[in-house]
Amino acid sequence: MKQAAAANGPEFDIVDSTLMRRVFYIFAALALLSVVISLGGKWLGRSIAMAGYTDDTTIHEAVIGNNVIAVPANMIRFEQARRDGIASRLDLYLRYPEMDGYSAAARDDFNHTGSSRDIVFLSFEQQMMSRDMSGRFAPIYSALIAQPGTAGPGGTTLYRFTEKSGYLNEVLAVAKRPGKDPFVARCLSGPTAEESLAPCERDIHVGDGLSLTYRFPREFLGDWQALDDAIAAQTAHVLKTGR
């Protein structure tokens, strides 16, 4: 019988169709996994390169009390805040004097790779005090500083705080403004200031019951009036109130 079969032609083993389907599915799954890894690797690589930043300019609206703050995503500091809706606080960062958010062109400034510091940090939240920093100078800060002060940049006067004030390693920068309360900012001093990207801080009242705190490099004190005006203009641009 074997000889007859050999004479009629070669023998073929029949392969189970179920096994063939399994092999096909395995190869298809491997191909799909390869695509997923490739795309995921590109996404992860970009995510790592961005280091939490985004160059997305989609406008998001944050609602705090009776205020709406409409800003592009690349100005919003924290990823979880890049959304629309009610918020208790909104943190932004901007490049000064351009007053723009993160972009490829501004990468070095936001990563602080150069010798200069160019980023200003802004925080919007509901007012906790009846007076802003300028309004607190006469009733509060004036009693906590040591006289006389020393001449500072841009026409400011720098005052040390008294030991009992509670403001350790800080100085108060004050500049007169005709017809207004003085410009007032608190700045870190000593080694702590050298390690900080934005050692100076000032808060102002904006909108309907909002407090805006902005932190900036000490080098900007010499340009305090232009900086304060730029912050006020930017706030007026992004902030809408219900009044």
Side-chain angles (χ1 to χ4, degrees), residues 4 16 21-22 28 37-38 48 50 72 74 102 119 128 131-133 138-139 152 182 207 221-222 230 242:
D16 188 349
R21 284 198 301 271
R22 288 178 179 174
I37 291 174
S38 177
I48 292 174
M50 296 296 281
N74 67 338
Y102 179 86
I119 305 302
M128 299 296 291
R131 298 172 182 264
D132 61 13
M133 192 169 283
L221 270 182

Side-chain angles (χ1 to χ4, degrees), residues 63-97:
V63 180
I64 304 179
N66 201 33
N67 305 271
V68 177
I69 307 167
V71 288
N74 67 338
M75 286 186 182
I76 300 175
R77 188 177 177 191
F78 301 114
E79 184 176 359
Q80 64 270 25
R82 295 169 189 152
R83 58 177 181 81
D84 297 326
I86 296 174
S88 59
R89 175 187 174 109
L90 183 65
D91 295 286
L92 310 179
Y93 46 13
L94 307 174
R95 184 173 57 154
Y96 180 78

Side-chain angles (χ1 to χ4, degrees), residues 161-175:
F161 282 100
T162 61
E163 293 183 1
K164 296 181 180 180
S165 67
Y167 294 104
L168 298 177
N169 300 318
E170 291 189 35
V171 297
L172 194 71
V174 181

Side-chain angles (χ1 to χ4, degrees), residues 36-53:
V36 171
I37 291 174
S38 177
L39 294 176
K42 291 179 181 179
W43 176 86
L44 183 60
R46 174 176 170 78
S47 178
I48 292 174
M50 296 296 281
Y53 299 120

